[in-house]
Amino acid sequence: MEPQARSVTEQVERVLAFVAPLPAVALDLEDALGSVLTEDLYASVSVPPFDGAAMDGYAVRLADLPPDGRQVTLQVTGDVAAGPNSLAEVGTGQAVRIMTGAPLPPGADAVVPVERTSTGRFVAGVPRAEETVTLARQSRPHVRCAGEDVRQGELLAQAGTEVTAALVGALAASGAVRVTVRRRPLVAVVSTGSELVPIGGALGPGQITDSNGPMLAAAVRAAGADVVRLGPVTDDPAALRRVLDQAVRAAADGAGADLIVTAGGVSAGAADVVREVLAAPGSNGRGATDVDVATVAMSPGKPQALARWGGVPWLALPGNPVGAYASFELFARPAIDRLRGVEASGRHHTPGVCCSESTMSTQRNTPRVVPLAAAAGWPGSPGRLLVVPVRVVPLPDAAGTAPGPVGVVPAGSHHSLSALATADGLAFVPPDVEKIGPGDIVQVLMLR
Protein backbone atom coordinates (compact mmCIF):
# COMPACT_ATOMS: atom_id res chain seq x y z
CA MET A 1 0.00 0.00 0.00
CA GLU A 2 1.33 3.43 -0.96
CA PRO A 3 2.03 5.66 2.06
CA GLN A 4 -0.13 8.74 2.56
CA ALA A 5 1.06 11.59 0.40
CA ARG A 6 2.72 14.55 2.09
CA SER A 7 1.16 17.97 1.63
CA VAL A 8 2.93 20.66 -0.38
CA THR A 9 3.07 22.83 2.72
CA GLU A 10 4.85 20.16 4.75
CA GLN A 11 7.32 19.54 1.93
CA VAL A 12 8.11 23.26 1.78
CA GLU A 13 8.75 23.30 5.53
CA ARG A 14 11.07 20.31 5.27
CA VAL A 15 12.99 21.88 2.39
CA LEU A 16 13.47 25.13 4.29
CA ALA A 17 14.72 23.21 7.32
CA PHE A 18 17.57 21.87 5.14
CA VAL A 19 19.07 25.28 4.37
CA ALA A 20 20.16 28.42 6.22
CA PRO A 21 21.13 31.95 5.10
CA LEU A 22 24.66 32.13 3.73
CA PRO A 23 27.40 34.19 5.42
CA ALA A 24 27.70 37.92 4.84
CA VAL A 25 30.32 39.40 2.53
CA ALA A 26 31.31 43.00 1.74
CA LEU A 27 31.01 43.92 -1.95
CA ASP A 28 31.56 47.02 -4.01
CA LEU A 29 28.15 48.59 -4.59
CA GLU A 30 28.19 47.90 -8.34
CA ASP A 31 28.88 44.21 -7.71
CA ALA A 32 25.98 43.77 -5.28
CA LEU A 33 23.10 43.73 -7.77
CA GLY A 34 20.66 40.94 -6.91
CA SER A 35 22.20 40.29 -3.49
CA VAL A 36 20.39 40.83 -0.20
CA LEU A 37 21.51 43.36 2.40
CA THR A 38 22.43 42.08 5.85
CA GLU A 39 22.37 45.46 7.58
CA ASP A 40 20.39 48.68 7.51
CA LEU A 41 21.92 51.38 5.31
CA TYR A 42 21.80 55.11 6.08
CA ALA A 43 22.60 58.07 3.85
CA SER A 44 26.13 59.43 4.27
CA VAL A 45 25.22 62.68 2.51
CA SER A 46 22.02 64.53 1.72
CA VAL A 47 20.51 64.24 -1.75
CA PRO A 48 20.75 66.70 -3.34
CA PRO A 49 23.68 68.07 -1.31
CA PHE A 50 22.87 71.70 -2.18
CA ASP A 51 19.99 73.89 -3.33
CA GLY A 52 19.95 73.63 -7.11
CA ALA A 53 18.05 74.57 -10.24
CA ALA A 54 15.30 72.22 -11.33
CA MET A 55 15.00 73.95 -14.75
CA ASP A 56 17.14 75.82 -17.25
CA GLY A 57 16.39 79.50 -16.71
CA TYR A 58 17.30 82.47 -14.56
CA ALA A 59 18.13 82.44 -10.85
CA VAL A 60 16.39 85.40 -9.24
CA ARG A 61 15.33 86.92 -5.93
CA LEU A 62 11.61 86.47 -5.30
CA ALA A 63 11.63 89.86 -3.61
CA ASP A 64 12.32 91.41 -7.06
CA LEU A 65 9.24 89.80 -8.66
CA PRO A 66 5.85 91.42 -8.07
CA PRO A 67 3.44 88.98 -6.37
CA ASP A 68 0.64 89.95 -8.78
CA GLY A 69 2.48 88.36 -11.76
CA ARG A 70 3.48 91.61 -13.49
CA GLN A 71 6.63 91.34 -15.62
CA VAL A 72 9.86 93.06 -14.61
CA THR A 73 13.19 93.53 -16.33
CA LEU A 74 16.32 92.43 -14.46
CA GLN A 75 20.03 92.84 -15.20
CA VAL A 76 21.71 89.58 -16.27
CA THR A 77 25.05 89.38 -14.44
CA GLY A 78 26.43 85.90 -15.06
CA ASP A 79 26.11 82.17 -15.90
CA VAL A 80 26.01 79.12 -13.66
CA ALA A 81 26.35 75.63 -15.18
CA ALA A 82 26.18 72.27 -13.44
CA GLY A 83 29.50 71.41 -11.83
CA PRO A 84 32.06 73.32 -9.74
CA ASN A 85 31.39 77.03 -9.89
CA SER A 86 32.52 80.29 -8.36
CA LEU A 87 29.14 81.67 -7.37
CA ALA A 88 28.69 85.44 -7.23
CA GLU A 89 25.80 86.68 -5.14
CA VAL A 90 22.61 87.67 -6.93
CA GLY A 91 21.86 91.22 -5.85
CA THR A 92 18.75 93.34 -5.94
CA GLY A 93 17.44 93.72 -9.50
CA GLN A 94 19.77 91.06 -10.88
CA ALA A 95 19.37 87.62 -12.53
CA VAL A 96 21.85 84.87 -13.40
CA ARG A 97 21.51 82.37 -16.24
CA ILE A 98 21.42 78.92 -14.63
CA MET A 99 21.26 75.38 -15.99
CA THR A 100 19.42 72.38 -14.57
CA GLY A 101 21.34 70.81 -11.70
CA ALA A 102 23.57 73.83 -11.06
CA PRO A 103 23.83 75.13 -7.50
CA LEU A 104 21.69 78.14 -6.70
CA PRO A 105 23.86 81.27 -6.32
CA PRO A 106 23.82 83.13 -2.97
CA GLY A 107 20.93 85.56 -2.75
CA ALA A 108 18.73 83.70 -5.25
CA ASP A 109 15.72 81.76 -4.02
CA ALA A 110 13.87 80.90 -7.26
CA VAL A 111 14.40 79.95 -10.90
CA VAL A 112 12.25 81.24 -13.75
CA PRO A 113 12.30 78.76 -16.70
CA VAL A 114 13.91 80.29 -19.80
CA GLU A 115 10.89 79.50 -22.00
CA ARG A 116 8.80 81.80 -19.79
CA THR A 117 11.11 84.80 -20.25
CA SER A 118 11.89 87.28 -23.00
CA THR A 119 14.93 85.16 -23.98
CA GLY A 120 12.75 82.19 -25.02
CA ARG A 121 15.46 79.55 -25.08
CA PHE A 122 19.16 78.99 -24.57
CA VAL A 123 21.28 77.76 -27.49
CA ALA A 124 23.94 75.18 -26.66
CA GLY A 125 27.45 76.52 -27.10
CA VAL A 126 26.31 80.12 -27.50
CA PRO A 127 27.64 82.38 -24.72
CA ARG A 128 25.44 84.80 -22.85
CA ALA A 129 24.62 87.86 -24.96
CA GLU A 130 21.58 89.36 -23.23
CA GLU A 131 22.22 92.13 -20.72
CA THR A 132 18.67 92.13 -19.39
CA VAL A 133 15.77 89.70 -19.20
CA THR A 134 12.06 90.31 -18.75
CA LEU A 135 10.19 87.80 -16.65
CA ALA A 136 7.49 87.34 -14.02
CA ARG A 137 6.92 85.43 -10.78
CA GLN A 138 6.03 81.74 -11.31
CA SER A 139 3.68 79.52 -9.35
CA ARG A 140 6.63 77.32 -8.30
CA PRO A 141 10.22 78.26 -7.38
CA HIS A 142 11.73 75.46 -9.56
CA VAL A 143 14.40 74.80 -6.94
CA ARG A 144 15.48 71.40 -5.62
CA CYS A 145 16.33 72.05 -1.99
CA ALA A 146 19.25 70.36 -0.22
CA GLY A 147 18.05 67.08 1.35
CA GLU A 148 14.74 67.26 -0.51
CA ASP A 149 15.14 63.64 -1.67
CA VAL A 150 17.18 62.14 1.18
CA ARG A 151 18.59 63.71 4.32
CA GLN A 152 21.96 62.73 5.73
CA GLY A 153 21.47 59.93 8.28
CA GLU A 154 18.11 58.86 6.84
CA LEU A 155 17.38 55.12 6.52
CA LEU A 156 17.69 54.12 2.85
CA ALA A 157 17.24 50.35 2.93
CA GLN A 158 16.61 47.78 5.61
CA ALA A 159 18.46 44.51 6.12
CA GLY A 160 16.82 41.88 3.93
CA THR A 161 16.27 44.25 1.01
CA GLU A 162 17.34 42.95 -2.40
CA VAL A 163 19.76 45.27 -4.18
CA THR A 164 18.07 46.42 -7.41
CA ALA A 165 19.40 48.73 -10.12
CA ALA A 166 17.30 51.57 -8.71
CA LEU A 167 18.62 50.95 -5.20
CA VAL A 168 22.19 50.98 -6.53
CA GLY A 169 21.49 54.47 -7.85
CA ALA A 170 19.96 55.67 -4.59
CA LEU A 171 22.81 54.24 -2.52
CA ALA A 172 25.46 55.70 -4.83
CA ALA A 173 23.86 59.15 -4.68
CA SER A 174 23.85 59.03 -0.89
CA GLY A 175 27.52 58.11 -0.53
CA ALA A 176 27.59 54.30 -0.33
CA VAL A 177 30.72 52.64 -1.73
CA ARG A 178 30.57 49.09 -0.34
CA VAL A 179 27.66 47.15 1.12
CA THR A 180 27.38 44.01 3.23
CA VAL A 181 25.20 41.34 1.65
CA ARG A 182 24.59 37.62 1.81
CA ARG A 183 26.97 35.69 -0.37
CA ARG A 184 25.34 34.78 -3.68
CA PRO A 185 24.40 31.07 -3.66
CA LEU A 186 25.99 28.62 -6.07
CA VAL A 187 23.54 25.94 -7.20
CA ALA A 188 24.59 22.79 -9.03
CA VAL A 189 21.96 21.54 -11.49
CA VAL A 190 22.17 17.89 -12.55
CA SER A 191 19.84 16.16 -15.01
CA THR A 192 19.73 12.36 -15.05
CA GLY A 193 18.70 9.73 -17.56
CA SER A 194 20.47 7.47 -20.06
CA GLU A 195 18.07 8.72 -22.72
CA LEU A 196 19.28 12.32 -22.44
CA VAL A 197 21.55 13.99 -24.98
CA PRO A 198 23.09 17.45 -24.34
CA ILE A 199 21.52 20.28 -26.33
CA GLY A 200 22.94 20.37 -29.83
CA GLY A 201 23.84 16.68 -29.79
CA ALA A 202 22.63 14.21 -32.41
CA LEU A 203 19.80 11.98 -31.24
CA GLY A 204 20.11 8.23 -31.52
CA PRO A 205 17.35 5.64 -31.17
CA GLY A 206 15.39 6.11 -27.95
CA GLN A 207 17.14 9.37 -27.07
CA ILE A 208 15.79 12.85 -26.33
CA THR A 209 17.43 16.21 -25.81
CA ASP A 210 18.05 17.24 -22.21
CA SER A 211 15.60 20.08 -21.54
CA ASN A 212 15.43 19.94 -17.75
CA GLY A 213 19.08 20.88 -17.27
CA PRO A 214 18.98 24.12 -19.26
CA MET A 215 15.50 24.99 -17.95
CA LEU A 216 16.40 24.56 -14.28
CA ALA A 217 19.73 26.33 -14.73
CA ALA A 218 17.87 29.30 -16.19
CA ALA A 219 15.38 29.18 -13.31
CA VAL A 220 18.26 29.25 -10.81
CA ARG A 221 19.71 32.37 -12.44
CA ALA A 222 16.28 34.00 -12.47
CA ALA A 223 16.00 33.25 -8.74
CA GLY A 224 19.14 35.29 -8.03
CA ALA A 225 21.76 32.54 -7.70
CA ASP A 226 24.78 31.43 -9.70
CA VAL A 227 24.67 28.03 -11.35
CA VAL A 228 26.96 25.26 -12.46
CA ARG A 229 25.28 22.72 -14.74
CA LEU A 230 26.47 19.12 -14.69
CA GLY A 231 25.30 16.21 -16.77
CA PRO A 232 23.20 14.81 -18.19
CA VAL A 233 24.19 11.73 -16.21
CA THR A 234 23.38 8.20 -17.32
CA ASP A 235 21.38 5.83 -15.13
CA ASP A 236 24.57 4.55 -13.52
CA PRO A 237 24.92 5.01 -9.72
CA ALA A 238 28.70 5.33 -9.93
CA ALA A 239 28.42 8.05 -12.57
CA LEU A 240 25.88 9.97 -10.50
CA ARG A 241 28.06 9.72 -7.40
CA ARG A 242 31.00 11.16 -9.33
CA VAL A 243 28.92 14.09 -10.54
CA LEU A 244 27.55 14.74 -7.05
CA ASP A 245 31.11 14.75 -5.73
CA GLN A 246 31.96 17.24 -8.47
CA ALA A 247 29.05 19.42 -7.38
CA VAL A 248 30.36 19.52 -3.82
CA ARG A 249 33.56 21.13 -5.14
CA ALA A 250 31.80 22.89 -8.01
CA ALA A 251 33.26 26.40 -8.00
CA ALA A 252 36.45 27.25 -9.85
CA ASP A 253 38.02 28.55 -6.63
CA GLY A 254 37.48 25.22 -4.95
CA ALA A 255 34.37 26.27 -3.04
CA GLY A 256 31.49 23.85 -3.32
CA ALA A 257 27.89 24.32 -4.30
CA ASP A 258 25.50 25.58 -1.65
CA LEU A 259 22.62 23.56 -3.08
CA ILE A 260 22.32 20.61 -5.46
CA VAL A 261 19.19 20.26 -7.61
CA THR A 262 18.72 17.08 -9.65
CA ALA A 263 15.95 16.28 -12.13
CA GLY A 264 14.76 12.76 -12.83
CA GLY A 265 15.44 9.33 -11.41
CA VAL A 266 13.50 9.88 -8.20
CA SER A 267 10.43 7.77 -8.94
CA ALA A 268 9.98 4.06 -8.29
CA GLY A 269 11.19 2.67 -11.61
CA ALA A 270 13.84 -0.02 -11.91
CA ALA A 271 16.27 2.44 -13.53
CA ASP A 272 15.65 5.40 -11.23
CA VAL A 273 19.26 6.07 -10.35
CA VAL A 274 18.63 8.86 -7.82
CA ARG A 275 16.50 6.56 -5.67
CA GLU A 276 19.23 3.91 -5.83
CA VAL A 277 21.95 6.33 -4.77
CA LEU A 278 19.77 7.74 -2.00
CA ALA A 279 19.15 4.24 -0.68
CA ALA A 280 22.87 3.43 -0.34
CA PRO A 281 24.16 4.22 3.17
CA GLY A 282 26.51 7.20 3.44
CA SER A 283 29.51 7.33 5.76
CA ASN A 284 32.87 9.04 6.20
CA GLY A 285 31.65 12.15 4.42
CA ARG A 286 30.58 10.20 1.34
CA GLY A 287 27.14 9.24 0.20
CA ALA A 288 23.72 10.60 1.01
CA THR A 289 22.72 11.51 4.55
CA ASP A 290 19.53 12.88 6.10
CA VAL A 291 17.60 11.17 3.31
CA ASP A 292 13.90 12.02 3.05
CA VAL A 293 12.07 10.41 0.13
CA ALA A 294 8.44 11.45 -0.15
CA THR A 295 5.31 11.20 -2.20
CA VAL A 296 3.91 14.74 -2.34
CA ALA A 297 0.24 15.37 -3.03
CA MET A 298 0.75 17.34 -6.22
CA SER A 299 0.44 16.64 -9.95
CA PRO A 300 2.72 16.75 -11.76
CA GLY A 301 5.61 16.54 -9.30
CA LYS A 302 4.55 13.68 -7.05
CA PRO A 303 7.97 12.04 -6.38
CA GLN A 304 10.33 14.21 -4.33
CA ALA A 305 13.39 13.63 -2.19
CA LEU A 306 15.68 15.57 0.13
CA ALA A 307 19.15 14.63 1.31
CA ARG A 308 22.64 15.94 1.88
CA TRP A 309 25.61 14.94 -0.22
CA GLY A 310 28.92 15.73 1.37
CA GLY A 311 27.00 18.01 3.69
CA VAL A 312 25.46 20.00 0.81
CA PRO A 313 21.63 20.15 0.72
CA TRP A 314 20.26 18.15 -2.21
CA LEU A 315 16.78 18.55 -3.70
CA ALA A 316 15.82 15.69 -6.01
CA LEU A 317 13.01 16.76 -8.34
CA PRO A 318 11.02 14.60 -10.77
CA GLY A 319 11.95 14.33 -14.42
CA ASN A 320 8.63 15.38 -15.94
CA PRO A 321 9.48 18.87 -17.25
CA VAL A 322 6.33 20.58 -15.95
CA GLY A 323 6.66 18.70 -12.66
CA ALA A 324 10.33 19.69 -12.45
CA TYR A 325 9.56 23.35 -13.08
CA ALA A 326 6.61 23.44 -10.68
CA SER A 327 8.75 21.70 -8.06
CA PHE A 328 11.46 24.29 -8.58
CA GLU A 329 9.02 27.15 -7.97
CA LEU A 330 7.41 25.49 -4.95
CA PHE A 331 10.50 24.02 -3.28
CA ALA A 332 13.84 25.02 -4.82
CA ARG A 333 13.15 28.74 -5.16
CA PRO A 334 12.19 29.10 -1.47
CA ALA A 335 15.41 27.24 -0.57
CA ILE A 336 17.43 29.64 -2.75
CA ASP A 337 15.63 32.58 -1.15
CA ARG A 338 16.59 31.37 2.30
CA LEU A 339 20.22 30.94 1.22
CA ARG A 340 20.14 34.50 -0.16
CA GLY A 341 18.62 35.79 3.07
CA VAL A 342 15.34 36.85 1.47
CA GLU A 343 13.07 34.58 3.48
CA ALA A 344 14.86 35.45 6.71
CA SER A 345 14.06 39.13 6.19
CA GLY A 346 10.32 38.56 6.34
CA ARG A 347 9.68 40.97 3.48
CA HIS A 348 10.53 39.29 0.19
CA HIS A 349 9.41 35.71 0.60
CA THR A 350 9.31 33.61 -2.54
CA PRO A 351 5.95 33.41 -4.29
CA GLY A 352 4.43 30.01 -4.70
CA VAL A 353 5.00 28.79 -1.15
CA CYS A 354 1.54 28.04 0.10
CA CYS A 355 0.28 28.00 3.64
CA SER A 356 -2.86 26.12 2.77
CA GLU A 357 -3.58 24.05 -0.30
CA SER A 358 -7.26 24.89 0.22
CA THR A 359 -6.58 28.51 -0.69
CA MET A 360 -3.09 28.37 -2.25
CA SER A 361 -2.34 31.64 -0.47
CA THR A 362 1.30 32.64 -0.04
CA GLN A 363 3.05 32.96 3.28
CA ARG A 364 3.50 36.64 2.54
CA ASN A 365 1.06 38.11 0.05
CA THR A 366 3.54 38.56 -2.78
CA PRO A 367 2.52 40.02 -6.13
CA ARG A 368 3.70 37.05 -8.21
CA VAL A 369 0.77 34.96 -6.97
CA VAL A 370 -2.54 36.56 -7.96
CA PRO A 371 -6.17 35.41 -7.91
CA LEU A 372 -7.67 35.21 -11.39
CA ALA A 373 -10.96 33.90 -12.73
CA ALA A 374 -11.04 30.86 -14.96
CA ALA A 375 -12.21 31.82 -18.44
CA ALA A 376 -13.04 28.15 -19.13
CA GLY A 377 -13.46 25.06 -17.01
CA TRP A 378 -11.08 22.16 -16.48
CA PRO A 379 -10.98 19.09 -14.21
CA GLY A 380 -9.11 19.03 -10.92
CA SER A 381 -7.14 16.17 -9.39
CA PRO A 382 -8.90 15.28 -6.13
CA GLY A 383 -6.46 14.52 -3.34
CA ARG A 384 -3.59 16.31 -5.07
CA LEU A 385 -2.64 19.91 -5.76
CA LEU A 386 -2.98 20.19 -9.54
CA VAL A 387 -0.47 22.50 -11.25
CA VAL A 388 -1.79 23.78 -14.59
CA PRO A 389 0.16 25.96 -17.05
CA VAL A 390 -2.27 28.73 -18.03
CA ARG A 391 -2.51 31.64 -20.44
CA VAL A 392 -4.08 34.98 -19.61
CA VAL A 393 -7.03 35.80 -21.88
CA PRO A 394 -9.90 38.33 -21.88
CA LEU A 395 -12.93 37.06 -20.00
CA PRO A 396 -15.85 36.21 -22.30
CA ASP A 397 -17.94 39.20 -21.25
CA ALA A 398 -14.96 41.48 -21.85
CA ALA A 399 -14.28 40.42 -25.44
CA GLY A 400 -13.57 43.42 -27.60
CA THR A 401 -13.09 45.79 -24.68
CA ALA A 402 -9.76 47.39 -23.95
CA PRO A 403 -8.71 47.17 -21.29
CA GLY A 404 -11.07 44.65 -19.74
CA PRO A 405 -10.97 42.00 -17.04
CA VAL A 406 -8.82 38.98 -17.78
CA GLY A 407 -8.91 35.35 -16.76
CA VAL A 408 -6.93 32.19 -17.46
CA VAL A 409 -7.30 29.08 -19.57
CA PRO A 410 -5.07 26.00 -19.68
CA ALA A 411 -2.16 26.49 -22.07
CA GLY A 412 -2.28 22.79 -22.97
CA SER A 413 -1.69 19.51 -21.20
CA HIS A 414 -0.37 20.06 -17.69
CA HIS A 415 2.32 17.49 -18.50
CA SER A 416 3.41 19.24 -21.71
CA LEU A 417 6.64 21.23 -22.01
CA SER A 418 5.15 23.20 -24.92
CA ALA A 419 2.28 24.26 -22.65
CA LEU A 420 4.78 25.45 -20.07
CA ALA A 421 6.71 27.41 -22.70
CA THR A 422 3.61 29.35 -23.79
CA ALA A 423 2.15 29.78 -20.30
CA ASP A 424 1.81 33.13 -18.57
CA GLY A 425 1.56 31.43 -15.19
CA LEU A 426 0.94 28.27 -13.19
CA ALA A 427 -2.54 27.84 -11.75
CA PHE A 428 -2.94 25.82 -8.56
CA VAL A 429 -6.10 23.76 -8.13
CA PRO A 430 -6.50 22.69 -4.48
CA PRO A 431 -6.73 18.98 -3.61
CA ASP A 432 -10.34 19.28 -2.46
CA VAL A 433 -11.59 20.73 -5.76
CA GLU A 434 -12.96 18.23 -8.28
CA LYS A 435 -13.23 20.69 -11.14
CA ILE A 436 -12.78 24.34 -12.02
CA GLY A 437 -15.76 26.02 -13.60
CA PRO A 438 -15.87 29.22 -15.67
CA GLY A 439 -15.63 32.17 -13.31
CA ASP A 440 -14.07 30.21 -10.45
CA ILE A 441 -11.12 31.97 -8.83
CA VAL A 442 -7.77 30.19 -8.96
CA GLN A 443 -4.41 31.26 -7.51
CA VAL A 444 -1.90 31.83 -10.32
CA LEU A 445 1.86 32.07 -9.97
CA MET A 446 2.73 34.57 -12.69
CA LEU A 447 5.73 33.61 -14.81
CA ARG A 448 5.83 36.83 -16.82
Side-chain angles (χ1 to χ4, degrees), residues 173-211:
S174 58
V177 178
R178 288 174 67 81
V179 293
T180 304
V181 297
R182 295 286 174 193
R183 178 170 62 77
R184 191 176 176 91
L186 178 63
V187 180
V189 171
V190 183
S191 48
T192 70
S194 295
E195 75 279 14
L196 300 180
V197 174
I199 54 174
L203 298 180
Q207 293 184 316
I208 60 174
T209 300
D210 175 23
S211 59

Side-chain angles (χ1 to χ4, degrees), residues 183-421:
R183 178 170 62 77
R184 191 176 176 91
L186 178 63
V187 180
V189 171
V190 183
S191 48
T192 70
S194 295
E195 75 279 14
L196 300 180
V197 174
I199 54 174
L203 298 180
Q207 293 184 316
I208 60 174
T209 300
D210 175 23
S211 59
N212 280 337
M215 177 181 68
L216 292 176
V220 167
R221 294 187 184 97
D226 294 326
V227 65
V228 56
R229 190 158 70 83
L230 304 170
V233 182
T234 61
D235 294 322
D236 173 20
L240 179 57
R241 292 188 185 98
R242 286 193 297 270
V243 169
L244 293 172
D245 286 341
Q246 185 180 350
V248 171
R249 53 180 189 276
D253 61 3
D258 301 299
L259 179 69
I260 300 170
V261 176
T262 60
V266 73
S267 191
D272 283 325
V273 65
V274 169
R275 286 286 285 261
E276 184 174 346
V277 169
L278 288 170
S283 61
N284 299 323
R286 291 184 56 81
T289 58
D290 300 331
V291 176
D292 180 9
V293 177
T295 296
V296 177
M298 61 182 288
S299 176
K302 176 179 171 183
Q304 303 280 338
L306 299 171
R308 299 184 193 276
W309 188 269
V312 177
W314 172 14
L315 275 60
L317 310 182
N320 171 281
V322 177
Y325 189 83
S327 299
F328 179 90
E329 290 292 338
L330 289 171
F331 309 128
R333 184 185 281 266
I336 292 172
D337 271 357
R338 176 160 285 186
L339 290 169
R340 297 173 63 223
V342 174
E343 188 274 341
S345 75
R347 285 184 298 278
H348 299 281
H349 197 70
T350 299
V353 178
C354 51
C355 295
S356 167
E357 284 84 21
S358 64
T359 61
M360 275 309 300
S361 62
T362 60
Q363 284 190 357
R364 298 177 179 88
N365 187 23
T366 52
R368 283 191 66 205
V369 177
V370 296
L372 290 173
W378 68 82
S381 182
R384 292 183 292 180
L385 177 75
L386 180 63
V387 182
V388 181
V390 292
R391 290 184 293 106
V392 173
V393 297
L395 289 174
D397 60 355
T401 64
V406 296
V408 292
V409 295
S413 167
H414 62 274
H415 290 282
S416 167
L417 184 57
S418 62
L420 183 62

